[in-house]
Amino acid sequence: MPVTTESMDRLRERGDQLADTTIDALFEQEQIGHFNTLMRWFGGKDRELPENLPAVARDYLSATATPPDWVDWEVMETARMFFIDNNVHISTALSFASMPACYVVPHVARLLATTHSLDYPSNRMAATGQFTVYLMRPDAFEEGGAFVPAAQKVRLLHAAIRHHLRRENAWDQATWGVPICQEDMIGGQMMFSIQVLDALHRLGVRITEAEAEAYFYAWRVVGAMLGIDVETAPSTLQEARDFSDLYMTRYMGPSDEGVALTRQLIDLYEQVVPGTLLDPIVPALIRYLIGDTAADWLAVPRSVVFDHLVPAAPILLGALEEAEARSPIAAMVLDRLGALTTAFELSSLTRGRVMHYAVPEHLKDEYDVPRPRNQRWAPPPVSPLCSPPAS
């Protein structure tokens, strides 16, 4: 579907009808206790539904229990292998490009502040990382897997936020649209898909066309499971570029909430890394990945040394990937190191309360996934929708 300012305006007025209907019924019938029970059930190991769960909740769970019937599982497997091969790089892009991109949109930062997310930055970051790890597990969509319940929970939580913000008149809908509207959900999907690919490209990570398409496709599947109307969302990387560029140019700017969130993000990762010598590398990475203008809006500190060293990251990553391509042993060691680094990061953010993620040592051989490196992906050009008019 072509992206225009008019089509995006229409998306601002729409939420998620299925989840909203479920939440409205639960809260209007004063069955909030069932909602809380359901939230606890999502995070538990018992797959038996709680007794006396209202029909509206059972209907929601039934309707969202499986992925869309149009999913191409071969493409999803390519995406999963790409994630496993690049999990540290992707975690870096999510933390230091995607999250700051959220913070540089003032009404999104305001939403996080309104829902008290400012008070629990480590939980928010860990939830984002854990959600991605759940998605890329081999059993993600199988019965008993962790991803589908996680997606069901996130979708209901978004609806609950919409319900409470409206009821409490805590959101200026005339100015910002429906809270967590379709436009913002798609905008978030772009931050976690094409903007991650952009960050990987900027870091010098080698990506093939097939890997880029597959990674974007995986987030398109995720978007559908989180309540995005796929008929209105970008279906190709070029459409994603158009939407992402237009969305960011429409809304990005400075805000007190964005500054506070970014400061918490920086503090959080400085605490994860032992010592203080490397502390400046976190803001330097953010500044390198999102650019000086956005970094200045978010009050990202400057570093005379690291602001010049971080742009050399593509050279280091290129050398590591060359070693990985030449040596099966090096590939195994780097993949294992990546898995351990991701698990350590998640464990640090939640004081160990995470599901650990281990990558089988012979995963690539077992799944026989080809990894051609002769053709590298390049990001789509800047959308013409954002180009200045010819003089």
Side-chain angles (χ1 to χ4, degrees):
M1 183 178 188
V3 179
T4 64
T5 55
E6 292 77 13
S7 66
M8 294 179 76
D9 285 340
R10 290 192 292 272
L11 292 173
R12 296 182 68 202
E13 305 307 316
R14 295 174 52 198
D16 174 2
Q17 184 174 358
L18 174 61
D20 289 340
T21 299
T22 303
I23 289 296
D24 290 345
L26 286 176
F27 289 170
E28 288 171 6
Q29 296 171 17
E30 298 183 353
Q31 301 189 73
I32 190 170
H34 290 299
F35 171 77
N36 293 333
T37 298
L38 193 56
M39 291 298 105
R40 289 191 295 270
W41 175 81
F42 282 128
K45 296 181 180 179
D46 185 4
R47 292 296 91 192
E48 292 294 327
L49 286 177
E51 294 183 5
N52 303 320
L53 198 64
V56 65
R58 291 180 178 273
D59 290 344
Y60 167 81
L61 293 175
S62 176
T64 58
T66 57
D69 57 11
W70 45 262
V71 174
D72 186 325
W73 295 108
E74 289 187 7
V75 177
M76 291 295 287
E77 180 65 8
T78 299
R80 191 173 71 83
M81 296 306 299
F82 173 67
F83 173 81
I84 290 171
D85 196 30
N86 296 279
N87 53 4
V88 173
H89 307 326
I90 291 171
S91 295
T92 299
L94 286 169
S95 297
F96 305 132
S98 295
M99 296 309 296
C102 294
Y103 303 159
V104 85
V105 177
H107 72 270
V108 173
R110 176 72 59 87
L111 177 71
L112 291 170
T114 302
T115 56
H116 307 295
S117 290
L118 282 170
D119 298 330
Y120 306 102
S122 61
N123 289 350
R124 182 180 62 253
M125 291 300 303
T128 301
Q130 192 69 64
F131 186 79
T132 306
V133 168
Y134 284 156
L135 169 64
M136 297 302 174
R137 287 178 60 90
D139 63 350
F141 298 96
E142 296 177 5
E143 185 176 355
F147 175 71
V148 172
Q152 291 174 312
K153 179 179 181 179
V154 169
R155 189 170 178 178
L156 276 188
L157 285 174
H158 286 172
I161 291 171
R162 280 191 291 270
H163 178 91
H164 285 299
L165 290 180
R166 286 167 165 170
R167 188 186 66 179
E168 298 169 5
N169 293 320
W171 187 256
D172 186 352
Q173 188 164 319
T175 301
W176 301 320
V178 171
I180 316 182
C181 61
Q182 286 286 320
E183 183 189 33
D184 286 335
M185 285 194 285
I186 297 172
Q189 181 189 19
M190 298 303 100
M191 293 172 188
F192 289 95
S193 58
I194 190 166
Q195 290 191 32
V196 164
L197 291 171
D198 287 347
L200 295 179
H201 181 78
R202 188 161 176 74
L203 287 169
V205 177
R206 297 182 181 183
I207 311 171
T208 67
E209 290 283 349
E211 289 170 335
E213 293 282 357
Y215 186 77
F216 172 74
Y217 183 88
W219 281 99
R220 181 168 166 79
V221 173
V222 171
M225 297 182 69
L226 293 180
I228 290 176
D229 179 1
V230 293
E231 296 299 324
T232 62
S235 59
T236 67
L237 282 168
Q238 184 57 61
E239 290 178 3
R241 165 62 67 236
D242 292 343
F243 192 102
S244 178
D245 286 355
L246 186 55
Y247 180 82
M248 297 304 290
T249 54
R250 273 164 65 97
Y251 296 119
M252 64 182 182
S255 70
D256 292 340
E257 294 84 0
V259 170
L261 286 162
T262 305
R263 185 64 257 171
Q264 288 185 336
L265 173 69
I266 293 171
D267 289 344
L268 194 62
Y269 279 93
E270 287 179 351
Q271 292 169 14
V272 169
V273 178
T276 60
L277 179 63
L278 298 178
D279 282 358
I281 200 170
V282 174
L285 265 173
I286 295 174
R287 184 169 288 277
Y288 176 67
L289 291 175
I290 69 174
D292 284 334
T293 298
D296 288 343
W297 283 337
L298 297 176
V300 176
R302 290 182 178 271
S303 168
V304 175
V305 175
F306 283 92
D307 284 354
H308 291 87
L309 288 179
V310 165
I315 299 175
L316 175 60
L317 289 178
L320 290 174
E321 290 195 339
E322 186 67 24
E324 185 177 16
R326 290 176 177 272
S327 169
I329 296 177
M332 181 186 72
V333 170
L334 289 172
D335 286 341
R336 186 60 181 167
L337 179 61
L340 292 174
T341 303
T342 301
F344 168 75
E345 180 181 19
L346 290 173
S347 182
S348 298
L349 292 175
T350 60
R351 309 304 192 266
R353 298 189 301 275
V354 298
M355 177 180 293
H356 294 288
Y357 177 61
V359 179
E361 293 183 356
H362 304 292
L363 196 60
K364 295 181 182 65
D365 293 336
E366 178 182 342
Y367 284 90
D368 192 27
V369 176
R371 298 190 298 161
R373 294 296 185 184
N374 57 328
Q375 294 183 339
R376 293 183 64 174
W377 174 78
V382 174
S383 172
L385 297 172
C386 301
S387 301
S391 57

PDB file of all heavy atoms in Angstrom, residues 33-58:
ATOM      1  N   GLY A  33      -9.613  -8.907  37.906  1.00  0.00           N
ATOM      2  CA  GLY A  33      -8.908 -10.034  38.532  1.00  0.00           C
ATOM      3  C   GLY A  33      -8.569 -11.103  37.520  1.00  0.00           C
ATOM      4  O   GLY A  33      -7.488 -11.722  37.586  1.00  0.00           O
ATOM      5  N   HIS A  34      -9.467 -11.346  36.562  1.00  0.00           N
ATOM      6  CA  HIS A  34      -9.201 -12.323  35.504  1.00  0.00           C
ATOM      7  C   HIS A  34      -8.068 -11.836  34.593  1.00  0.00           C
ATOM      8  O   HIS A  34      -7.269 -12.631  34.101  1.00  0.00           O
ATOM      9  CB  HIS A  34     -10.458 -12.584  34.687  1.00  0.00           C
ATOM     10  CG  HIS A  34     -11.513 -13.346  35.433  1.00  0.00           C
ATOM     11  ND1 HIS A  34     -11.301 -14.613  35.918  1.00  0.00           N
ATOM     12  CD2 HIS A  34     -12.784 -13.011  35.774  1.00  0.00           C
ATOM     13  CE1 HIS A  34     -12.400 -15.045  36.521  1.00  0.00           C
ATOM     14  NE2 HIS A  34     -13.310 -14.092  36.453  1.00  0.00           N
ATOM     15  N   PHE A  35      -8.027 -10.513  34.367  1.00  0.00           N
ATOM     16  CA  PHE A  35      -6.939  -9.952  33.553  1.00  0.00           C
ATOM     17  C   PHE A  35      -5.595 -10.211  34.228  1.00  0.00           C
ATOM     18  O   PHE A  35      -4.628 -10.638  33.585  1.00  0.00           O
ATOM     19  CB  PHE A  35      -7.159  -8.448  33.354  1.00  0.00           C
ATOM     20  CG  PHE A  35      -5.990  -7.745  32.707  1.00  0.00           C
ATOM     21  CD1 PHE A  35      -5.765  -7.849  31.341  1.00  0.00           C
ATOM     22  CD2 PHE A  35      -5.112  -6.977  33.463  1.00  0.00           C
ATOM     23  CE1 PHE A  35      -4.690  -7.212  30.741  1.00  0.00           C
ATOM     24  CE2 PHE A  35      -4.034  -6.342  32.871  1.00  0.00           C
ATOM     25  CZ  PHE A  35      -3.835  -6.452  31.517  1.00  0.00           C
ATOM     26  N   ASN A  36      -5.523  -9.954  35.524  1.00  0.00           N
ATOM     27  CA  ASN A  36      -4.271 -10.176  36.250  1.00  0.00           C
ATOM     28  C   ASN A  36      -3.891 -11.658  36.258  1.00  0.00           C
ATOM     29  O   ASN A  36      -2.712 -12.010  36.123  1.00  0.00           O
ATOM     30  CB  ASN A  36      -4.403  -9.667  37.683  1.00  0.00           C
ATOM     31  CG  ASN A  36      -4.535  -8.150  37.742  1.00  0.00           C
ATOM     32  OD1 ASN A  36      -4.057  -7.446  36.850  1.00  0.00           O
ATOM     33  ND2 ASN A  36      -5.195  -7.639  38.769  1.00  0.00           N
ATOM     34  N   THR A  37      -4.895 -12.516  36.399  1.00  0.00           N
ATOM     35  CA  THR A  37      -4.631 -13.959  36.349  1.00  0.00           C
ATOM     36  C   THR A  37      -4.071 -14.354  34.989  1.00  0.00           C
ATOM     37  O   THR A  37      -3.130 -15.158  34.883  1.00  0.00           O
ATOM     38  CB  THR A  37      -5.926 -14.746  36.627  1.00  0.00           C
ATOM     39  OG1 THR A  37      -6.384 -14.432  37.944  1.00  0.00           O
ATOM     40  CG2 THR A  37      -5.695 -16.244  36.512  1.00  0.00           C
ATOM     41  N   LEU A  38      -4.630 -13.778  33.955  1.00  0.00           N
ATOM     42  CA  LEU A  38      -4.186 -14.074  32.597  1.00  0.00           C
ATOM     43  C   LEU A  38      -2.749 -13.603  32.387  1.00  0.00           C
ATOM     44  O   LEU A  38      -1.933 -14.306  31.772  1.00  0.00           O
ATOM     45  CB  LEU A  38      -5.122 -13.401  31.596  1.00  0.00           C
ATOM     46  CG  LEU A  38      -5.023 -13.821  30.125  1.00  0.00           C
ATOM     47  CD1 LEU A  38      -5.214 -15.316  29.971  1.00  0.00           C
ATOM     48  CD2 LEU A  38      -6.041 -13.048  29.297  1.00  0.00           C
ATOM     49  N   MET A  39      -2.410 -12.423  32.898  1.00  0.00           N
ATOM     50  CA  MET A  39      -1.050 -11.914  32.756  1.00  0.00           C
ATOM     51  C   MET A  39      -0.046 -12.847  33.435  1.00  0.00           C
ATOM     52  O   MET A  39       1.034 -13.108  32.909  1.00  0.00           O
ATOM     53  CB  MET A  39      -0.945 -10.510  33.355  1.00  0.00           C
ATOM     54  CG  MET A  39      -1.682  -9.419  32.596  1.00  0.00           C
ATOM     55  SD  MET A  39      -1.079  -9.147  30.898  1.00  0.00           S
ATOM     56  CE  MET A  39      -2.398  -9.937  29.959  1.00  0.00           C
ATOM     57  N   ARG A  40      -0.413 -13.357  34.609  1.00  0.00           N
ATOM     58  CA  ARG A  40       0.482 -14.298  35.299  1.00  0.00           C
ATOM     59  C   ARG A  40       0.590 -15.612  34.538  1.00  0.00           C
ATOM     60  O   ARG A  40       1.660 -16.220  34.482  1.00  0.00           O
ATOM     61  CB  ARG A  40      -0.027 -14.543  36.722  1.00  0.00           C
ATOM     62  CG  ARG A  40       0.163 -13.339  37.656  1.00  0.00           C
ATOM     63  CD  ARG A  40      -0.103 -13.731  39.103  1.00  0.00           C
ATOM     64  NE  ARG A  40      -1.493 -14.102  39.317  1.00  0.00           N
ATOM     65  CZ  ARG A  40      -2.450 -13.245  39.666  1.00  0.00           C
ATOM     66  NH1 ARG A  40      -2.156 -11.957  39.836  1.00  0.00           N
ATOM     67  NH2 ARG A  40      -3.692 -13.658  39.858  1.00  0.00           N
ATOM     68  N   TRP A  41      -0.506 -16.049  33.930  1.00  0.00           N
ATOM     69  CA  TRP A  41      -0.501 -17.305  33.188  1.00  0.00           C
ATOM     70  C   TRP A  41       0.445 -17.226  31.985  1.00  0.00           C
ATOM     71  O   TRP A  41       1.149 -18.184  31.673  1.00  0.00           O
ATOM     72  CB  TRP A  41      -1.918 -17.635  32.710  1.00  0.00           C
ATOM     73  CG  TRP A  41      -1.970 -18.850  31.829  1.00  0.00           C
ATOM     74  CD1 TRP A  41      -1.970 -20.152  32.215  1.00  0.00           C
ATOM     75  CD2 TRP A  41      -2.032 -18.866  30.385  1.00  0.00           C
ATOM     76  NE1 TRP A  41      -2.033 -20.981  31.124  1.00  0.00           N
ATOM     77  CE2 TRP A  41      -2.062 -20.221  29.988  1.00  0.00           C
ATOM     78  CE3 TRP A  41      -2.059 -17.870  29.412  1.00  0.00           C
ATOM     79  CZ2 TRP A  41      -2.126 -20.601  28.650  1.00  0.00           C
ATOM     80  CZ3 TRP A  41      -2.114 -18.241  28.074  1.00  0.00           C
ATOM     81  CH2 TRP A  41      -2.153 -19.597  27.704  1.00  0.00           C
ATOM     82  N   PHE A  42       0.501 -16.069  31.333  1.00  0.00           N
ATOM     83  CA  PHE A  42       1.380 -15.910  30.173  1.00  0.00           C
ATOM     84  C   PHE A  42       2.836 -16.197  30.537  1.00  0.00           C
ATOM     85  O   PHE A  42       3.587 -16.740  29.736  1.00  0.00           O
ATOM     86  CB  PHE A  42       1.279 -14.490  29.610  1.00  0.00           C
ATOM     87  CG  PHE A  42       0.052 -14.249  28.772  1.00  0.00           C
ATOM     88  CD1 PHE A  42      -0.786 -13.178  29.037  1.00  0.00           C
ATOM     89  CD2 PHE A  42      -0.265 -15.083  27.715  1.00  0.00           C
ATOM     90  CE1 PHE A  42      -1.914 -12.937  28.270  1.00  0.00           C
ATOM     91  CE2 PHE A  42      -1.390 -14.861  26.931  1.00  0.00           C
ATOM     92  CZ  PHE A  42      -2.212 -13.781  27.215  1.00  0.00           C
ATOM     93  N   GLY A  43       3.244 -15.808  31.731  1.00  0.00           N
ATOM     94  CA  GLY A  43       4.630 -15.978  32.123  1.00  0.00           C
ATOM     95  C   GLY A  43       4.928 -17.282  32.834  1.00  0.00           C
ATOM     96  O   GLY A  43       6.083 -17.539  33.188  1.00  0.00           O
ATOM     97  N   GLY A  44       3.926 -18.120  33.039  1.00  0.00           N
ATOM     98  CA  GLY A  44       4.127 -19.375  33.752  1.00  0.00           C
ATOM     99  C   GLY A  44       4.418 -20.537  32.828  1.00  0.00           C
ATOM    100  O   GLY A  44       4.424 -20.404  31.602  1.00  0.00           O
ATOM    101  N   LYS A  45       4.643 -21.688  33.424  1.00  0.00           N
ATOM    102  CA  LYS A  45       4.941 -22.900  32.661  1.00  0.00           C
ATOM    103  C   LYS A  45       3.720 -23.794  32.487  1.00  0.00           C
ATOM    104  O   LYS A  45       3.738 -24.727  31.697  1.00  0.00           O
ATOM    105  CB  LYS A  45       6.065 -23.685  33.355  1.00  0.00           C
ATOM    106  CG  LYS A  45       7.388 -22.931  33.400  1.00  0.00           C
ATOM    107  CD  LYS A  45       8.463 -23.762  34.078  1.00  0.00           C
ATOM    108  CE  LYS A  45       9.788 -23.007  34.115  1.00  0.00           C
ATOM    109  NZ  LYS A  45      10.853 -23.793  34.787  1.00  0.00           N
ATOM    110  N   ASP A  46       2.657 -23.523  33.242  1.00  0.00           N
ATOM    111  CA  ASP A  46       1.448 -24.326  33.165  1.00  0.00           C
ATOM    112  C   ASP A  46       0.627 -23.884  31.964  1.00  0.00           C
ATOM    113  O   ASP A  46       0.169 -22.747  31.891  1.00  0.00           O
ATOM    114  CB  ASP A  46       0.630 -24.165  34.450  1.00  0.00           C
ATOM    115  CG  ASP A  46      -0.596 -25.080  34.475  1.00  0.00           C
ATOM    116  OD1 ASP A  46      -0.747 -25.877  33.530  1.00  0.00           O
ATOM    117  OD2 ASP A  46      -1.385 -24.984  35.430  1.00  0.00           O
ATOM    118  N   ARG A  47       0.443 -24.779  31.008  1.00  0.00           N
ATOM    119  CA  ARG A  47      -0.287 -24.429  29.788  1.00  0.00           C
ATOM    120  C   ARG A  47      -1.795 -24.614  29.934  1.00  0.00           C
ATOM    121  O   ARG A  47      -2.540 -24.302  29.001  1.00  0.00           O
ATOM    122  CB  ARG A  47       0.227 -25.257  28.618  1.00  0.00           C
ATOM    123  CG  ARG A  47       1.636 -24.912  28.194  1.00  0.00           C
ATOM    124  CD  ARG A  47       1.739 -23.481  27.658  1.00  0.00           C
ATOM    125  NE  ARG A  47       2.063 -22.504  28.678  1.00  0.00           N
ATOM    126  CZ  ARG A  47       1.982 -21.186  28.522  1.00  0.00           C
ATOM    127  NH1 ARG A  47       1.538 -20.692  27.404  1.00  0.00           N
ATOM    128  NH2 ARG A  47       2.308 -20.366  29.496  1.00  0.00           N
ATOM    129  N   GLU A  48      -2.245 -25.152  31.053  1.00  0.00           N
ATOM    130  CA  GLU A  48      -3.677 -25.271  31.281  1.00  0.00           C
ATOM    131  C   GLU A  48      -4.239 -23.901  31.623  1.00  0.00           C
ATOM    132  O   GLU A  48      -3.727 -23.202  32.500  1.00  0.00           O
ATOM    133  CB  GLU A  48      -3.953 -26.247  32.429  1.00  0.00           C
ATOM    134  CG  GLU A  48      -3.615 -27.689  32.112  1.00  0.00           C
ATOM    135  CD  GLU A  48      -4.505 -28.268  31.014  1.00  0.00           C
ATOM    136  OE1 GLU A  48      -5.688 -27.871  30.941  1.00  0.00           O
ATOM    137  OE2 GLU A  48      -4.006 -29.096  30.230  1.00  0.00           O
ATOM    138  N   LEU A  49      -5.310 -23.517  30.941  1.00  0.00           N
ATOM    139  CA  LEU A  49      -5.891 -22.203  31.197  1.00  0.00           C
ATOM    140  C   LEU A  49      -6.485 -22.138  32.599  1.00  0.00           C
ATOM    141  O   LEU A  49      -6.999 -23.139  33.101  1.00  0.00           O
ATOM    142  CB  LEU A  49      -6.989 -21.902  30.171  1.00  0.00           C
ATOM    143  CG  LEU A  49      -6.522 -21.542  28.759  1.00  0.00           C
ATOM    144  CD1 LEU A  49      -7.725 -21.335  27.855  1.00  0.00           C
ATOM    145  CD2 LEU A  49      -5.662 -20.293  28.777  1.00  0.00           C
ATOM    146  N   PRO A  50      -6.417 -20.971  33.238  1.00  0.00           N
ATOM    147  CA  PRO A  50      -7.015 -20.823  34.570  1.00  0.00           C
ATOM    148  C   PRO A  50      -8.514 -21.116  34.524  1.00  0.00           C
ATOM    149  O   PRO A  50      -9.194 -20.867  33.516  1.00  0.00           O
ATOM    150  CB  PRO A  50      -6.756 -19.348  34.905  1.00  0.00           C
ATOM    151  CG  PRO A  50      -5.615 -18.943  34.021  1.00  0.00           C
ATOM    152  CD  PRO A  50      -5.762 -19.748  32.773  1.00  0.00           C
ATOM    153  N   GLU A  51      -9.025 -21.639  35.617  1.00  0.00           N
ATOM    154  CA  GLU A  51     -10.453 -21.925  35.700  1.00  0.00           C
ATOM    155  C   GLU A  51     -11.258 -20.628  35.709  1.00  0.00           C
ATOM    156  O   GLU A  51     -10.786 -19.585  36.154  1.00  0.00           O
ATOM    157  CB  GLU A  51     -10.749 -22.732  36.965  1.00  0.00           C
ATOM    158  CG  GLU A  51     -10.137 -24.122  36.970  1.00  0.00           C
ATOM    159  CD  GLU A  51     -10.524 -24.906  38.217  1.00  0.00           C
ATOM    160  OE1 GLU A  51     -11.339 -24.387  39.006  1.00  0.00           O
ATOM    161  OE2 GLU A  51     -10.011 -26.031  38.384  1.00  0.00           O
ATOM    162  N   ASN A  52     -12.480 -20.734  35.224  1.00  0.00           N
ATOM    163  CA  ASN A  52     -13.434 -19.621  35.242  1.00  0.00           C
ATOM    164  C   ASN A  52     -12.984 -18.412  34.420  1.00  0.00           C
ATOM    165  O   ASN A  52     -13.447 -17.287  34.655  1.00  0.00           O
ATOM    166  CB  ASN A  52     -13.733 -19.173  36.680  1.00  0.00           C
ATOM    167  CG  ASN A  52     -14.272 -20.305  37.535  1.00  0.00           C
ATOM    168  OD1 ASN A  52     -15.075 -21.109  37.058  1.00  0.00           O
ATOM    169  ND2 ASN A  52     -13.835 -20.376  38.780  1.00  0.00           N
ATOM    170  N   LEU A  53     -12.073 -18.630  33.483  1.00  0.00           N
ATOM    171  CA  LEU A  53     -11.644 -17.531  32.618  1.00  0.00           C
ATOM    172  C   LEU A  53     -12.818 -17.118  31.730  1.00  0.00           C
ATOM    173  O   LEU A  53     -13.464 -17.972  31.113  1.00  0.00           O
ATOM    174  CB  LEU A  53     -10.471 -17.975  31.749  1.00  0.00           C
ATOM    175  CG  LEU A  53      -9.637 -16.871  31.097  1.00  0.00           C
ATOM    176  CD1 LEU A  53      -8.936 -16.028  32.154  1.00  0.00           C
ATOM    177  CD2 LEU A  53      -8.603 -17.484  30.152  1.00  0.00           C
ATOM    178  N   PRO A  54     -13.147 -15.823  31.661  1.00  0.00           N
ATOM    179  CA  PRO A  54     -14.304 -15.384  30.870  1.00  0.00           C
ATOM    180  C   PRO A  54     -14.202 -15.808  29.405  1.00  0.00           C
ATOM    181  O   PRO A  54     -13.102 -15.950  28.860  1.00  0.00           O
ATOM    182  CB  PRO A  54     -14.258 -13.861  31.007  1.00  0.00           C
ATOM    183  CG  PRO A  54     -13.500 -13.605  32.256  1.00  0.00           C
ATOM    184  CD  PRO A  54     -12.486 -14.709  32.348  1.00  0.00           C
ATOM    185  N   ALA A  55     -15.349 -15.967  28.777  1.00  0.00           N
ATOM    186  CA  ALA A  55     -15.385 -16.420  27.378  1.00  0.00           C
ATOM    187  C   ALA A  55     -14.646 -15.458  26.456  1.00  0.00           C
ATOM    188  O   ALA A  55     -13.986 -15.879  25.510  1.00  0.00           O
ATOM    189  CB  ALA A  55     -16.838 -16.587  26.933  1.00  0.00           C
ATOM    190  N   VAL A  56     -14.733 -14.148  26.745  1.00  0.00           N
ATOM    191  CA  VAL A  56     -14.095 -13.178  25.866  1.00  0.00           C
ATOM    192  C   VAL A  56     -12.572 -13.369  25.881  1.00  0.00           C
ATOM    193  O   VAL A  56     -11.909 -13.227  24.841  1.00  0.00           O
ATOM    194  CB  VAL A  56     -14.465 -11.731  26.267  1.00  0.00           C
ATOM    195  CG1 VAL A  56     -13.906 -11.378  27.653  1.00  0.00           C
ATOM    196  CG2 VAL A  56     -13.990 -10.739  25.232  1.00  0.00           C
ATOM    197  N   ALA A  57     -12.017 -13.748  27.034  1.00  0.00           N
ATOM    198  CA  ALA A  57     -10.580 -13.992  27.120  1.00  0.00           C
ATOM    199  C   ALA A  57     -10.210 -15.284  26.399  1.00  0.00           C
ATOM    200  O   ALA A  57      -9.199 -15.354  25.688  1.00  0.00           O
ATOM    201  CB  ALA A  57     -10.140 -14.049  28.579  1.00  0.00           C
ATOM    202  N   ARG A  58     -11.040 -16.320  26.559  1.00  0.00           N
ATOM    203  CA  ARG A  58     -10.786 -17.586  25.869  1.00  0.00           C
ATOM    204  C   ARG A  58     -10.869 -17.400  24.360  1.00  0.00           C
ATOM    205  O   ARG A  58     -10.082 -17.978  23.601  1.00  0.00           O
ATOM    206  CB  ARG A  58     -11.769 -18.644  26.342  1.00  0.00           C
ATOM    207  CG  ARG A  58     -11.530 -19.088  27.792  1.00  0.00           C
ATOM    208  CD  ARG A  58     -12.539 -20.143  28.240  1.00  0.00           C
ATOM    209  NE  ARG A  58     -12.254 -20.570  29.605  1.00  0.00           N
ATOM    210  CZ  ARG A  58     -11.418 -21.542  29.935  1.00  0.00           C
ATOM    211  NH1 ARG A  58     -10.792 -22.222  28.963  1.00  0.00           N
ATOM    212  NH2 ARG A  58     -11.208 -21.877  31.195  1.00  0.00           N
TER     213      ARG A  58
END
